[in-house]
Amino acid sequence: MITVTAESFRLAEVFTISRGSRTEAKVLTVRVERNGLVGWGECVPYARYGESLESVAAQVEGLPAGIDRAALQDALPAGAARNAVDCALWDLEAKAAGKRVWELAGLAAPGPMITCFTLSLGSPESMQAAAARHAHRPVLKIKLGTPDDMARLEAVRAGAPRSRIVVDANEGWSAEVYTELAPHLLRLGVAMVEQPMPAGKDDLLAEIARPLPVCADESCHDRDSLPDLKGKYDMVNIKLDKTGGLTEALALRAAAQAEGYRVMVGCMVGTSLAMAPAVLVAQGVEVVDLDGPLLLAEDRTPPLAYDEAGVHPSVAELWG
Ligand SMILES: CC(C)C[C@H](N)C(=O)N[C@H](CCOc1cc(O)cc2c1C(=O)N[C@@H]2C)C(=O)O
Ligand SMILES: [Mg+2]
């Protein structure tokens, strides 16, 4: 039996990106029960991709009760619904086999990975204060994407002089704004910029200089996205809610690396249950952005462990 439940987890603080603000993580939890065993998965429907809690729940509820992971890949498109079910089926397969998912997937034993910590979009003053509070963190990901981000950039660098910085514009810049900012991103030691311009305007990236690595997020969903990224992006951000699960995420990582893309593994505002499978995809990649639980006031039990070594692999009781 497959069941899907909407759940809400409070954030520790209001979180803002160029598209809006939120105070809670609204997720769907999928439970698959077979032969007395239960597998769990989580997804975050995203309006940007035409998804809502209701539409995604309906996709899950429309699946045959006994569907297996191979059939699932054709039954649903890449996206949040397939993600939660795919991860729940992996969890169930591991429990049935008495093994961990990484073993079933033929991966090496996972270890902790340093993750980005994301700073919400705000005034330069509030971003500088947030950067100073988190200046001990090795990598800060800062949300930008407005026409006047220069002061925010300077403020974050002043607040956290030693942290590695990556920038996520969430499609908020025009080619003109990005071209003007790019030399300053370099000057301030920004390591990479994520989705500077709208996904529909990717062709512009082929025409302008890319002095620092440019990473495709909203423009890269699954392996079918790769041909359109050629000559425009240097890196891809793999998120399970876009790939439609761990199965396609592992395939996308292999295909992207084979085509010479650098790899980042990211997340939506979700709980430890959503991060646990992503930690497997994140092993050995260049940028890990699995900080969802760090922004929550409440999480799953048991949660993933986060410490100076970064985000740790899941215990079997949580997932996998
Ligand atoms: C907890 C962080 C925000 C997660 C990660 N570091 C990150 O930056 N992810 C963003 C995706 C932002 O997530 C959004 C944006 C939005 O407009 C609406 C939502 C969410 C979300 O997670 N839930 C709601 C639907 C990124 O890389 O772009
Ligand atoms: Mg992004």
Side-chain angles (χ1 to χ4, degrees):
M1 187 170 64
I2 304 178
T3 52
V4 55
T5 312
E7 293 189 273
S8 176
F9 294 81
R10 278 180 301 113
L11 301 191
E13 298 175 10
V14 178
F15 187 83
T16 303
I17 71 163
S18 61
R19 261 190 273 283
S21 296
R22 57 207 65 254
T23 55
E24 56 188 346
K26 289 186 180 171
V27 311
L28 289 175
T29 305
V30 165
R31 179 183 188 276
V32 182
E33 182 174 358
R34 282 173 201 165
N35 306 319
L37 296 172
V38 177
W40 296 94
E42 177 186 305
C43 68
V44 181
Y46 197 4
R48 167 69 182 79
Y49 304 137
E51 297 172 337
S52 65
L53 288 168
E54 295 73 24
S55 70
V56 171
Q59 283 180 298
V60 175
E61 282 159 352
L63 291 170
I67 194 164
D68 66 15
R69 202 161 45 77
L72 175 69
Q73 309 310 313
D74 295 324
L76 287 178
R82 195 175 78 191
N83 176 28
V85 181
D86 183 77
C87 291
L89 290 174
W90 272 108
D91 189 31
L92 191 68
E93 284 170 41
K95 284 170 173 155
K99 293 189 171 183
R100 301 303 308 270
V101 165
W102 60 264
E103 294 177 274
L104 295 185
L107 304 170
M113 308 273 314
I114 294 293
T115 175
C116 297
F117 180 85
T118 306
L119 299 185
S120 183
L121 178 66
S123 66
E125 296 72 27
S126 69
M127 291 184 80
Q128 179 161 352
R133 277 199 305 280
H134 294 284
H136 61 284
R137 296 189 185 271
V139 194
L140 295 178
K141 165 162 155 171
I142 62 171
K143 290 293 192 180
L144 297 177
T146 78
D148 59 347
D149 281 334
M150 195 57 235
R152 293 185 176 89
L153 258 179
E154 299 273 10
V156 169
R157 180 42 94 203
R162 279 177 297 279
S163 300
R164 187 167 184 238
I165 292 179
V166 300
V167 161
D168 188 356
N170 282 114
E171 307 182 278
W173 291 332
S174 64
E176 292 72 30
V177 169
Y178 174 60
T179 307
E180 207 175 305
L181 275 177
H184 299 285
L185 294 170
L186 271 186
R187 172 176 60 82
L188 294 168
V190 171
M192 175 273 280
V193 59
E194 200 183 321
Q195 200 70 43
M197 290 179 280
K201 302 233 166 98
D202 281 344
D203 286 351
L204 292 169
L205 285 168
E207 290 159 26
I208 58 182
R210 297 199 304 277
L212 70 161
V214 181
C215 179
D217 182 3
E218 284 84 344
S219 291
C220 180
H221 292 249
D222 60 6
R223 280 173 291 174
D224 290 345
S225 307
L226 292 177
D228 285 340
L229 305 181
K230 245 196 169 49
K232 304 167 192 168
Y233 288 96
D234 309 288
M235 195 167 200
V236 294
N237 183 347
I238 300 177
K239 288 182 190 161
L240 274 65
D241 277 313
K242 295 185 295 174
T243 61
L246 176 63
T247 306
E248 174 62 22
L250 292 170
L252 172 58
R253 183 181 71 177
Q257 285 172 337
E259 292 188 28
Y261 290 101
R262 296 156 73 172
V263 172
M264 164 177 193
V265 172
C267 66
M268 301 295 284
V269 186
T271 75
S272 285
L273 179 58
M275 308 300 130
V279 168
L280 300 185
V281 188
Q283 297 297 307
V285 310
E286 196 175 324
V287 181
V288 178
D289 180 31
L290 297 178
D291 60 344
L294 295 176
L295 276 69
L296 298 179
E298 49 194 9
D299 194 0
R300 308 274 179 183
T301 307
L304 284 186
Y306 286 82
D307 61 21
E308 316 70 51
V311 53
H312 288 253
S314 172
V315 293
E317 196 186 344
L318 172 65
W319 181 85

